[in-house]
Amino acid sequence: MERVNHPDAQRPQGAAASAPAIELRAINKSFGPVHANRDIDLSVQKGTVHGIVGENGAGKSTLMSILYGFYTADSGDILVNGKTVSISNSSDALSLGIGMVHQHFMLVDNFTVLENVVLGAEGSALLGRSLSKARSELQRLARDYGLEVSPDTLIEDLSVGQQQRVEILKALYRGADILILDEPTGVLTPAEADHLFRVLATLRNEGKTIILITHKLREIMAITDAVSVMRQGRMVATVPTSETSPEALAELMVGRRVLLRVDKDEARPGDVKLAVENLTVADDAGVIRVKGVSFSVRAGEIVGIAGVAGNGQSELLEAIAGMRRPVAGRVIVNGHEVTTHGEAGAAELRQKGLAHVPEDRLRMGLVTNFEAWENSILGYQDEPRYGGGLALDIGASRREFEGRIAQYDIRPANPRLKTANFSGGNQQKIVLAREMERDPDILIVGQPTRGVDIGAIEFIHNQIVKMRDAGKAILLVSVELDEIRSLSDRILVIFDGEIVGEADPASADEGELGLLMAGVHNKEAAQ
Amino acid sequence: MSARVPLPAWVDRILLPVLNVSLAFLIGGIVVLLVGQNPLEAVQIMLYGAFGYGDGFGYTLYYTTNFIFAGLAVSLAYHAGLFNIGAEGQGYIAGLGVILVALWLNGTHWALMMPLMLVAGALFGAFWAFIPGYLQAKRGSHVVITTILFNFIATSLMSYLISRVLKPAGVSADESARIEAVTRVPQLREFIPFFGYSPVNLTFPLAIAALFGVWFLIWRTKFGYAVRALGFNPTAAHYAGISNARLIMITMALSGGLAGLVALNEVAGVQGRLILNFMAGAGFVGIAVAFMGRAHPIGVALAALLFGALYQGGQELAFSMPAITRDMIVTIQALVILFTGAMGEMLRPPLERIFARRAPAVARPAE
């Protein structure tokens, strides 16, 4: 993503004369023994985009929840526009002009855009007046900020990016001058994210103040004017964005030097281990999502599939993993054609030496209500090492997992802790340990570092490279282009269910890949 | 996003249910007061009636037997994410299996017959639950709907069979021929005179064994592992190579089989014949038992005992305090179901607030 133009990059200094939009002084908040926020000071200047970064659990969300009235601080002061205020619920926050766009949208799916915007701010018992007032207000907001959404469309018919736009409109409709966005790009395609940043730039130029919570450093660099870094409940730094770098921020977040690039040697590919021939796959609704795709992955190489989310990657992975029966075509694993796709197909694929790290660990890769050791045998529960016959050998399963806890540095080191209580990175390590330690010939990996801390990302990337160097065939699917470029030995680009191009990561140009991902087949057409 | 801190395990599993039951009794006590009776005296009569003497205790255990089987049936299905409302009908149909085998080999010694009647009852109950399971797995028809409908089908079918087919000539009541004494499941009083004339029989120890069996099945076998994976996250189960459709059908059948054991107690142990509506709501009480017992066998055992005591103690109360009618006993039972089932979570938020302040050892930040 390109840096969004700043018409007045000096604005933070220029506006410093007036009181900050938000000022927090010595905020403390504890949950029992966990000191989530310690003596937090934060000053957000009017008319700026202020980024807040930190690893999961650093206290960002707690801080924003205090600002939005979900929690009350144990001690400390909140100043809005220079005046000390007390915010004990979200209507207090709204009346002070603070609006929040949540990571998970708070919209009624079967209401129209207009109805959602008005919801909770109807004003009178009869809807007619407020709806027509809202309609003209929406048109004004759409015109001023580039937030076009058709007011009469149902939410369920909108894309995720458009739904987010409705969330922003809701906040603006309620008169928000200060917008808090919590991980806004987690659900967006790169194009939608770019559009969001343009909207945010417009909002800032119109004098709105924006607080952007994210863990993506590229976004911070692209859009913010100043950035604050949190680590373990403390505010460790606030710097103008122009005076810092992703590397410096990463180091502040983690507290040690972090390698943002992966060190790896040349690949030494061997025999073809995984071959996909003319594979056509439909989704649950019967829509064809993968259209006659063919490729192969050899031992000792990482083939990366780049693409914007929703272009058939999920269906492709599920078909290769045996979970989804293809409409046509073949999957050949270790020289054997896969025959038992569907119901219990995943079990056969595992026996044939294919391991699968799914795209969505919470939805698919883990049973979050299980204790960690129980998840460490998921998919392999029928193997004799976990007990002969009907019985499950709990002791053997736990002992094996205890070994992996040490090897993969899974924290906390408690095999009996409920999986939901681990952080995203540690949950992902539980999945990776399970799939990698089976010594599979083929590993297919979807979004290996989604929602994972920087420190864990480094570890996960190194594990994947280690698998490659051990001669495994690896298929990597990721929507993070950086990840694809730094890990892959070959890149395939998927668009609308077709492989539209192949690139060498060493020489591939990011712009060119971006165009392929956007479905522009030749460069001339784009210009 | 909320500031909720999970409750300590003992509060969650013990204090909360105890408070719920206490609240139900408190309101029940007010009802008793309203009809001009002394609630403390009523409690005393109920407790004595349920536990105070051999006959009463025997009756309590007899009811408990039914509720354990029905509660386990609902619990097992619940672990697979299936809400089996049909234990009532499954148990009823199982009565047909029990009586057919019993009358076929009538006069054979119980030691041989008990396993046969057990298998027959379990198979008939399993069959009646398998069909909704099949419809759920293969056709996507929701088991909640189909099991309710199957209760109605069972009621009509059994009424027809009992009154038109199984009723011997010359008998006026709608009931089957009688099972001979030697074939019937023996009463515990034959071994333990303490139980007086109460109908608690050898199915009770079988119910205790079933509690252990279901616990082992769910938490100590690979099958149980798969069932729990399916119940918590069907997508993850599919990812793990588990055939969800197959597992749904097997689990429903096992659940129906457990419900079918109610019929062994009622038909072969207590009535000695097949009568109309012998389930008398035991299948529905099983739902309350499973919920109150958190679908765990220990909880199911305690909840079944509570409801057994309520049933037996309530009868004694209606007998001893004429001002308190049968309907009022049912009201009190309904209050317990209401407070432990439907409103079982009502006291959770205040408890969470109290324990978040007092015992915050398990607290985690929002992120």
Side-chain angles (χ1 to χ4, degrees), chain A residues 32-33 57-61 65 71 323 343 346 350 356 363-364 366 369 374 378 381 383 387 390 392 394 421 434-435, chain B residues 1-3 219-222 225 228-229 232-233 235-236 238-245 360-361 363-367:
Chain A
K60 304 173 301 224
S61 289
S65 301
Y71 302 144
M323 296 175 64
E343 264 294 299
R350 285 197 177 82
H356 174 200
R363 198 176 68 83
M364 190 180 285
L366 294 167
N369 276 314
E374 290 181 288
L378 188 72
Q381 67 275 6
E383 289 186 359
L390 281 175
L392 183 65
I394 292 176
N421 293 340
R434 178 181 76 208
E435 300 302 324
Chain B
M1 195 176 296
S2 82
W219 280 285
R220 287 294 181 273
T221 67
K222 294 179 170 184
Y225 177 91
R228 286 182 297 124
F232 285 135
N233 185 344
T235 312
H238 179 51
Y239 160 80
I242 293 165
S243 168
N244 293 0
R364 280 169 49 82
E367 275 190 325

Side-chain angles (χ1 to χ4, degrees), chain B residues 7-62:
Chain B
L7 288 172
W10 71 272
V11 177
D12 188 27
R13 294 192 192 138
I14 298 167
L15 187 62
L16 187 60
V18 168
L19 285 176
N20 284 333
V21 173
S22 311
L23 209 56
F25 275 103
L26 195 72
I27 303 213
I30 295 172
V31 175
V32 172
L33 264 181
L34 286 176
V35 295
Q37 300 291 322
N38 182 346
L40 288 177
E41 200 185 322
V43 168
Q44 212 175 1
I45 291 171
M46 282 185 83
L47 280 176
Y48 180 76
F51 300 106
Y53 63 106
D55 279 90
F57 188 49
Y59 266 99
T60 299
L61 292 186
Y62 144 68

Side-chain angles (χ1 to χ4, degrees), chain A residues 26-64:
Chain A
I27 295 281
N28 275 289
K29 178 71 185 172
S30 294
F31 297 95
V34 180
H35 210 149
N37 283 166
R38 273 174 211 266
D39 297 322
I40 301 283
D41 292 320
L42 175 69
S43 175
V44 178
Q45 301 303 324
K46 263 183 204 153
T48 65
V49 178
H50 194 110
I52 296 182
V53 293
E55 294 197 292
N56 293 326
K60 304 173 301 224
S61 289
T62 304
L63 189 64
M64 289 306 118

Side-chain angles (χ1 to χ4, degrees), chain A residues 64-86:
Chain A
M64 289 306 118
S65 301
I66 289 170
L67 196 49
Y68 198 60
F70 277 122
Y71 302 144
T72 313
D74 298 337
S75 66
D77 292 320
I78 304 175
L79 285 79
V80 175
N81 296 323
K83 283 196 275 294
T84 306
V85 295
S86 105

